[in-house]
């Protein structure tokens, strides 16, 4: 059997042949047109920007008639725009199309200037002549299988269309290209493989990536929560910081060490982002991680059946009849979980409760941080020196109201200065701080903050 031959047409010629029936789009087993407006819009932008469209596959019958094997929806979409008065919808992204605009100069000669045309709500007829020409002259590639009959064409249609289209989660993920690799890396962590309850479908159909996106959004940008996966990804692509991914990675690594089989069902596709956000809140209490697991175990066995919501609802009754991704529903669930967790952590009588509360609110000192992570023999005299050097180094930050220089963040900042002094890198620290200050994560536990800043500074110093 001969190899398929290639044939390139101008788009205008290809569509005319399709209209006349020379290139037929009605093979018996061909599916009906199934594209939405977003897909049509993107295809038209591809043509107008002279980007790549995969070849259309044709089958040639004995009478030289060509039938479309793969590319029927592309063909129908292009005809809708070229001949069917299709209007580009206002939801289109990247609607400004660059083109060379013909203008007549003072000397009467035609010159070309750079122009931009917004194609929102425009039909083909509303395009400038230059863009109409660009559309019509676009080079459409085809691959033609020769010597076909209806049976062979049906076989080719089956072969070329034997794929699964992107689902909502997978398509949304294409809108977070800046951090897609980072999210993929997190999705392969042991937490998602062994310490949670996700189906194989969740793992292969984009479910894990969506959980990570929802968690990052809920932990760091809840005031701007978006209900739709695409909107979540777009927001994080523009507003997320690398430190947020690093912090989530640290949380997952800690959870991997403590989650047991009896409670891993809590971390499912529906609720994972809630309990991961709850762990983020727990991390600010400065308590042993095992206490969080003890709470989850108690919640699973008993507290899930307690009506402690403001409306007298059980946890699983909140938002019933509404979308579980509605912001008010999420806020109510997190409020209930946090209240139950804090109450559980204070159990044991008023004295113990007061002691735990004091432990949570007491400010850790730079000496305690350095003694735990660097040198058990650090002295008060050492700390006094680090305080003085910290005052000098802090002048590198122009914003005097910076959270990095706040009283709340002072212990970890002074401890980091102490670490730099011991490593003889305080000069580098002063150079590093301004850049770090602009992208630092929210302040949580001072011990966690110290470890995070130390790791980031070490990476800078190693460059």
């Amino acid at each position: 059997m001969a190899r398929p031959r290639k044939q390139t047409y101008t788009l205008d010629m290809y569509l005319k042949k399709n209209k006349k029936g020379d290139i037929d789009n009605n093979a018996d087993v061909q599916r009906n047109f199934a594209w939405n407006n977003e897909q049509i819009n993107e295809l038209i932008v591809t043509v107008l920007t002279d980007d790549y469209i995969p070849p259309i596959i044709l089958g040639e019958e004995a009478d030289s008639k060509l039938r479309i094997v793969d590319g029927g929806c592309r063909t129908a979409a292009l005809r809708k725009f070229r001949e069917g008065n299709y209007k580009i919808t206002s939801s289109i992204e990247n609607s400004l199309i660059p083109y060379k605009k013909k203008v007549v100069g003072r000397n009467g000669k035609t010159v070309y200037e750079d122009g931009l045309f917004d194609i929102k709500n425009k039909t083909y007829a509303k395009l400038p002549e230059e863009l109409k020409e660009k559309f019509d002259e676009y080079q459409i590639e085809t691959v033609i299988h020769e010597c076909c009959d209806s049976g062979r064409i049906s076989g080719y249609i089956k072969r070329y269309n034997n794929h699964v289209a992107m689902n909502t989660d997978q398509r949304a993920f294409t809108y977070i290209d800046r951090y897609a690799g980072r999210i993929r890396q997190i999705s392969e962590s042991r937490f998602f493989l062994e310490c949670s309850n996700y189906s194989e479908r969740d793992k292969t159909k984009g479910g894990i990536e969506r959980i990570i996106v929802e968690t990052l959004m809920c932990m760091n940008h809840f005031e701007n929560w978006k209900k739709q996966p695409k909107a979540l990804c777009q927001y994080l692509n523009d507003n997320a910081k690398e430190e947020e991914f690093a912090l989530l990675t640290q949380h997952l690594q800690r959870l991997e060490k403590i989650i047991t089989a009896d409670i891993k069902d809590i971390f499912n596709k529906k609720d994972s982002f809630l309990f991961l956000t709850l762990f983020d809140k727990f991390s600010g209490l400065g308590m042993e991680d095992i206490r969080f697991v003890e709470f989850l175990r108690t919640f699973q066995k008993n507290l899930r059946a307690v009506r402690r919501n403001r409306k007298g609802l059980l946890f699983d009754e909140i938002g019933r009849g509404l979308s579980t991704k509605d912001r008010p529903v999420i806020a109510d669930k997190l409020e209930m979980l946090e209240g139950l967790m804090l109450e559980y952590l204070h159990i044991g009588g008023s004295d113990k409760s007061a002691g735990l509360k004091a432990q949570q609110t007491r400010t850790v000192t730079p000496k305690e941080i350095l003694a735990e992570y660097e040198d058990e023999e650090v002295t008060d005299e050492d700390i006094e020196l680090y305080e003085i050097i910290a005052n000098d180094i802090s002048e590198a930050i122009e914003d005097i109201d910076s959270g990095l220089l706040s009283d709340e963040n002072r212990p970890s900042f002074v401890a980091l200065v102490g670490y730099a002094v011991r490593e003889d890198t305080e000069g580098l620290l002063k150079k590093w701080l301004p850049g770090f200050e602009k992208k630092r994560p929210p302040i949580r536990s001072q011990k966690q903050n110290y470890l995070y800043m130390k790791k980031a500074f070490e990476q800078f110093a190693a460059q």
Side-chain angles (χ1 to χ4, degrees):
M1 183 183 298
R3 289 175 59 84
R5 73 176 189 268
K6 296 180 180 179
Q7 175 71 52
T8 301
Y9 302 93
T10 65
L11 186 50
D12 179 56
M13 181 186 296
Y14 175 81
L15 294 180
K16 284 179 178 177
K17 284 182 172 292
N18 178 239
K19 184 177 182 180
K20 291 190 300 180
D22 295 336
I23 297 177
D24 187 75
N25 198 15
N26 295 300
D28 293 340
V29 297
Q30 185 67 271
R31 66 176 177 173
N32 294 325
F33 184 71
W35 278 23
N36 57 34
N37 289 340
E38 182 180 5
Q39 291 169 298
I40 300 174
N41 291 345
E42 290 180 358
L43 180 65
I44 294 167
V45 169
T46 299
V47 171
L48 293 177
T49 57
D50 201 28
D51 213 334
Y52 178 72
I53 295 176
I56 290 175
I57 312 299
L58 306 174
E60 185 177 54
E61 297 180 337
D63 60 0
S64 298
K65 188 180 187 66
L66 297 169
R67 293 190 184 276
I68 296 176
V69 170
D70 183 58
C73 287
R74 279 172 280 166
T75 301
L78 292 168
R79 282 194 63 183
K80 282 172 70 74
F81 182 65
R82 181 63 175 81
E83 304 162 8
N85 205 36
Y86 174 83
K87 183 186 293 185
I88 303 292
T89 61
S90 58
S91 62
I92 186 175
E93 299 176 17
N94 305 318
S95 65
L96 294 176
I97 306 298
Y99 72 106
K100 292 296 183 180
K101 183 178 181 180
K102 296 179 184 178
V103 296
V104 178
R106 292 181 180 179
N107 58 5
K109 293 184 178 181
T110 300
V111 296
Y112 293 87
E113 296 179 351
D114 291 332
L116 284 175
F117 185 76
D118 191 344
I119 61 172
K120 281 183 180 178
N121 300 312
K122 301 296 193 301
T123 62
Y124 173 86
K126 297 294 184 181
L127 296 180
E129 289 301 318
E130 296 87 346
L131 282 181
K132 288 180 181 177
E133 291 177 6
K134 192 171 186 179
F135 183 91
D136 291 342
E137 294 172 1
Y138 181 84
Q139 300 291 292
I140 195 81
E141 298 178 3
T142 68
V143 174
I144 302 172
H145 289 278
E146 300 175 344
C147 304
C148 290
D149 56 19
S150 60
R152 181 165 289 172
I153 287 175
S154 296
Y156 283 136
I157 289 175
K158 185 186 300 182
R159 176 191 300 175
Y160 287 109
N161 290 277
N162 187 22
H163 62 270
V164 179
M166 283 185 173
N167 62 28
T168 300
D169 291 342
Q170 291 168 330
R171 187 164 182 80
F173 193 62
T174 65
Y175 289 88
I176 193 167
D177 54 283
R178 287 181 61 193
Y179 298 107
R182 196 73 173 88
I183 293 172
R184 291 284 194 203
Q185 184 182 38
I186 294 173
S187 71
E188 295 170 358
S189 67
R190 192 169 70 84
F191 174 84
F192 290 110
L193 296 176
E194 301 177 13
C195 305
S196 46
N197 183 24
Y198 307 116
S199 67
E200 287 304 313
R201 179 179 176 82
D202 294 335
K203 296 174 182 178
T204 60
K205 300 295 184 181
I208 303 301
E209 288 81 359
R210 176 171 177 170
I211 289 166
I212 294 170
V213 166
E214 290 173 341
T215 302
L216 288 164
M217 193 75 183
C218 202
M219 279 175 51
N220 304 288
H221 306 278
F222 188 58
E223 68 280 3
N224 293 300
W225 175 264
K226 314 294 181 183
K227 181 177 177 180
Q228 299 299 328
K230 174 183 171 182
L232 286 175
C233 290
Q234 288 177 315
Y235 183 88
L236 288 179
N237 202 51
D238 294 335
N239 297 280
K241 299 176 181 178
E242 170 59 29
E243 291 77 12
E244 297 166 5
F245 293 87
L247 184 62
L248 176 58
T249 298
Q250 292 175 12
H251 287 350
L252 296 176
Q253 290 171 346
R254 290 165 62 187
L255 288 168
E256 289 170 2
K257 299 175 182 178
I258 56 175
I259 297 299
T260 51
D262 61 316
I263 57 171
K264 74 175 187 177
D265 285 356
I266 283 179
F267 295 97
N268 53 50
K269 184 178 180 180
K270 177 184 175 183
D271 293 330
S272 277
F273 77 104
L274 294 171
F275 287 98
L276 290 172
T277 301
L278 185 67
F279 182 71
D280 181 63
K281 295 176 181 294
F282 169 86
S283 296
L285 301 178
M287 304 182 74
E288 294 293 329
D289 290 347
I290 193 64
R291 296 287 285 149
F292 183 73
V293 170
E294 291 169 356
F295 165 72
L296 291 184
R297 190 169 289 117
T298 301
F299 174 81
Q300 187 81 319
K301 292 181 179 179
N302 303 312
L303 299 180
R304 197 157 197 152
V306 173
R307 295 185 181 278
R308 291 298 304 273
N309 173 259
R310 289 180 287 108
K311 301 177 182 178
L313 301 174
L314 300 176
F315 174 79
D316 294 306
E317 293 176 340
I318 297 175
R320 182 169 291 175
L322 302 174
S323 169
T324 58
K325 305 304 181 183
D326 283 345
R327 189 174 185 275
V329 173
I330 296 170
D332 284 350
K333 287 186 174 181
L334 282 175
E335 181 183 16
M336 181 178 184
L337 286 173
E338 190 170 1
L340 289 172
M341 180 179 71
L342 291 177
E343 181 176 326
Y344 173 81
L345 295 174
H346 297 169
I347 287 176
S350 58
D351 292 340
K352 187 172 182 180
S353 175
L356 283 169
K357 189 171 183 179
Q359 178 183 345
Q360 295 160 16
T361 58
R362 181 178 66 82
T363 302
V364 67
T365 67
K367 184 178 180 181
E368 289 172 331
I369 295 174
L370 287 170
E372 181 171 348
Y373 297 109
E374 307 302 337
D375 183 2
E376 293 181 354
E377 298 181 359
V378 63
T379 66
D380 291 336
E381 290 75 15
D382 292 330
I383 299 300
E384 290 178 7
L385 173 63
Y386 303 152
E387 290 275 7
I388 294 171
I389 296 175
N391 291 337
D392 175 61
I393 290 178
S394 65
E395 294 179 0
I397 298 177
E398 296 180 359
D399 183 6
I400 60 175
D401 295 322
S402 166
L404 194 61
L405 304 180
S406 66
D407 291 341
E408 182 183 8
N409 196 61
R410 183 70 176 183
S412 59
F413 178 62
V414 173
L416 183 66
V417 170
Y419 166 77
V421 170
R422 288 167 175 267
E423 297 294 320
D424 196 25
T425 55
E426 60 266 33
L428 280 176
L429 183 65
K430 195 168 185 176
K431 293 180 180 179
W432 168 76
L433 277 175
F436 175 77
E437 194 277 336
K438 295 176 181 178
K439 58 182 181 180
R440 65 184 182 84
I443 296 171
R444 293 178 172 83
S445 158
Q446 283 296 285
K447 290 183 180 181
Q448 286 184 346
N449 205 45
Y450 168 74
L451 292 174
Y452 176 77
M453 290 194 298
K454 175 186 171 184
K455 181 177 179 180
F457 176 57
E458 286 176 335
Q459 291 173 343
F460 175 82
Q463 295 176 355

